Amino acid sequence: MKNNVDYKLYLVTDRDILAGRNLESAVEEAIQGGVTLVQLREKDITSLEFYNMALRIKRITSQYNIPLIINDRLDIALAVDAEGVHLGQRDIPCVIARKIIGENKIVGVSASTLEEAKKAEKDGADYIGVGAVFPTSTKQDARDVSVDLLKEIKQSVAIPVVAIGGINEDNVSLLKDTNIDGIAVVSAILGKKDIKSAAFCLRNQRF
Amino acid sequence: MKNNVDYKLYLVTDRDILAGRNLESAVEEAIQGGVTLVQLREKDITSLEFYNMALRIKRITSQYNIPLIINDRLDIALAVDAEGVHLGQRDIPCVIARKIIGENKIVGVSASTLEEAKKAEKDGADYIGVGAVFPTSTKQDARDVSVDLLKEIKQSVAIPVVAIGGINEDNVSLLKDTNIDGIAVVSAILGKKDIKSAAFCLRNQRF
Ligand code: NI
């Protein structure tokens, strides 16, 4: 699966914006709408809760043959046999993570500068998440990245580049000349009443 | 190293009670005083900070040939090649952790009931941490365990049993007929001004 990953519409989960709706259903609707990859991102829950949630989400992503990426927690990724792990700049270093998880799994790295992007590629990352490209309310621990810098990063690395941070149906067109491989969204899908339609609309946008 | 582990004086770290003192120095002094095993327990820090701290502590424990156990985070244990991982009842299940970390590493499990203790042994744990045996200010997420229950657990499992929770130089003698393999302490060592002497005194207590 690792060599055929479609990064076009990358969903990052956030249970806080679901307003009580069930995460499993939300992820399934998002996939039905056209999400191509799911990153499970959890904060402030126990490792057991994270593990159990990851197992439940993995059942759905496997059913639709969509890669599941676990945010930060390499051990949870291994425990549920997820397709990969996503590492922020404050997580375990990419080279160490790669040694642990092996060559057959996806390792993604967040980058906010050209230096971080080049380093991630050198360290063996399979893709880079670059942002925040637009102002965001979701805390991403990332500095601002201009569209010009996004373009420069895309031109400077050979691995796929996914833009993240505040992307929605209104501003996604601003990314159209960047040549990026995909967009990562949180609230533009999970914050909407009709999750499936929101995903469908974003999937059919050009960038 | 796994087959010769000495559980007699098991130090669990807590940076909050160090009153600004350096954790690396504190751990080294504790080892010099007689600590036989160190569990690195961290909360509310990033994975990168946890990893870097674990690397620093590992340098010290390796120098003294003392096993280093990482609390909860299997990925950090793998990343620094620690001797093992300690799992609470809210962490990744023991059987899953064992598959990931392999047979050569130590897997410890917290237990507060006879059922949890027997299950941990069945699930392949190398030792059990039983407590809290005494009232404790350090939050251990553990229910109370009487000395009688501690004794019963020790009689019911074949793997080493380490008592934990509020143990200090004044109450450790109450454990003397339990036949346990070791005591785990936090503040009775790290909360003391003279860490090395505190460890030395506890090490020379009978239980
Ligand atoms: Ni993180």
Side-chain angles (χ1 to χ4, degrees):
Chain A
M1 186 182 258
K2 179 173 158 172
N3 297 319
N4 298 307
V5 178
D6 179 355
Y7 290 96
K8 190 143 193 281
L9 186 55
Y10 184 138
L11 178 70
V12 179
T13 69
D14 181 357
R15 281 196 283 161
D16 292 344
I17 57 168
L18 282 174
R21 290 173 298 173
N22 176 282
L23 182 60
E24 298 93 300
S25 317
V27 165
E28 183 159 15
E29 287 169 44
I31 293 172
Q32 289 170 345
V35 156
T36 59
L37 196 142
V38 175
Q39 179 190 131
L40 180 61
R41 185 186 178 96
E42 290 288 346
K43 297 279 169 201
D44 304 321
I45 59 172
T46 68
S47 294
L48 181 59
E49 287 167 330
F50 199 162
Y51 168 73
N52 285 327
M53 179 57 81
L55 273 185
R56 291 196 292 273
I57 299 295
K58 180 68 162 56
R59 232 170 273 143
I60 297 160
T61 54
S62 293
Q63 191 188 325
Y64 290 91
N65 203 30
I66 296 289
L68 174 64
I69 305 290
I70 304 293
N71 183 62
D72 179 10
R73 294 289 300 267
L74 201 47
D75 49 356
I76 303 293
L78 290 166
V80 306
D81 193 26
E83 281 68 30
V85 69
H86 185 86
L87 305 170
Q89 292 289 327
R90 297 174 186 182
D91 296 336
I92 291 178
C94 180
V95 283
I96 305 293
R98 174 63 75 196
K99 272 189 216 168
I100 295 171
I101 208 168
E103 285 300 324
N104 295 326
K105 295 290 187 180
I106 302 165
V107 178
V109 171
S110 297
S112 301
T113 67
L114 183 59
E115 292 66 36
E116 285 173 0
K118 286 181 172 173
K119 184 175 190 315
E121 182 177 42
K122 204 182 115 212
D123 289 349
D126 293 298
Y127 76 89
I128 308 171
V130 176
V133 291
F134 298 123
T136 168
S137 54
T138 315
K139 212 175 121 196
Q140 300 283 359
D141 296 333
R143 285 148 292 176
D144 292 345
V145 172
S146 68
V147 172
D148 282 346
L149 177 54
L150 175 64
K151 215 184 282 190
E152 192 186 356
I153 288 173
K154 175 59 192 168
Q155 286 165 352
S156 308
V157 297
I159 55 178
V161 171
V162 178
I164 187 165
I167 301 169
N168 58 45
E169 62 285 7
D170 298 323
N171 60 26
V172 63
S173 60
L174 297 172
L175 304 176
K176 70 177 174 342
D177 295 322
T178 56
N179 197 30
I180 54 169
D181 302 273
I183 54 170
V185 299
V186 187
S187 50
I189 291 180
L190 297 182
K192 295 298 166 69
K193 211 174 167 183
D194 186 340
I195 287 173
K196 186 173 165 179
S197 298
F200 185 82
C201 292
L202 279 169
R203 178 66 187 271
N204 289 287
Q205 297 262 7
R206 302 231 159 269
F207 54 80
Chain B
M1 184 182 261
K2 180 174 157 171
N3 295 319
N4 297 307
V5 178
D6 180 355
Y7 290 96
K8 189 141 194 282
L9 186 55
Y10 184 139
L11 178 71
V12 179
T13 69
D14 181 357
R15 281 197 282 162
D16 291 344
I17 56 168
L18 281 175
R21 290 172 297 173
N22 178 282
L23 183 60
E24 299 93 301
S25 316
V27 166
E28 183 159 16
E29 287 167 43
I31 292 173
Q32 289 170 344
V35 156
T36 59
L37 197 142
V38 174
Q39 178 189 131
L40 180 62
R41 186 185 178 96
E42 291 287 346
K43 298 279 171 200
D44 304 321
I45 58 172
T46 68
S47 294
L48 181 59
E49 288 168 330
F50 199 162
Y51 168 72
N52 285 326
M53 178 58 80
L55 272 185
R56 291 196 292 272
I57 298 295
K58 180 69 162 57
R59 233 169 273 144
I60 297 161
T61 53
S62 292
Q63 191 188 326
Y64 291 91
N65 204 29
I66 296 289
L68 173 65
I69 305 290
I70 304 294
N71 184 61
D72 177 12
R73 294 289 301 268
L74 202 46
D75 49 356
I76 303 292
L78 290 166
V80 306
D81 193 27
E83 281 68 31
V85 68
H86 185 87
L87 305 169
Q89 293 289 325
R90 297 175 186 182
D91 297 335
I92 290 177
C94 181
V95 283
I96 306 293
R98 174 63 74 196
K99 272 188 215 168
I100 295 171
I101 207 168
E103 284 302 323
N104 295 326
K105 296 289 187 181
I106 302 165
V107 178
V109 171
S110 298
S112 300
T113 66
L114 183 58
E115 292 67 35
E116 285 174 358
K118 286 180 173 174
K119 184 175 191 313
E121 181 177 40
K122 206 181 117 213
D123 288 349
D126 293 297
Y127 75 90
I128 308 171
V130 176
V133 290
F134 299 122
T136 168
S137 53
T138 315
K139 212 175 121 197
Q140 301 282 358
D141 295 333
R143 285 148 291 177
D144 292 344
V145 172
S146 68
V147 172
D148 282 347
L149 177 55
L150 175 64
K151 215 185 282 190
E152 192 187 355
I153 288 173
K154 173 61 192 169
Q155 286 164 354
S156 307
V157 297
I159 54 179
V161 170
V162 177
I164 188 166
I167 300 170
N168 58 45
E169 62 284 7
D170 297 323
N171 61 25
V172 63
S173 60
L174 297 172
L175 304 176
K176 70 178 173 345
D177 294 323
T178 56
N179 197 30
I180 54 169
D181 302 273
I183 53 171
V185 298
V186 187
S187 51
I189 290 180
L190 296 181
K192 295 300 166 66
K193 211 175 166 182
D194 186 341
I195 287 173
K196 186 174 166 180
S197 298
F200 185 81
C201 292
L202 280 169
R203 178 67 187 271
N204 288 288
Q205 297 262 6
R206 303 229 159 269
F207 53 82

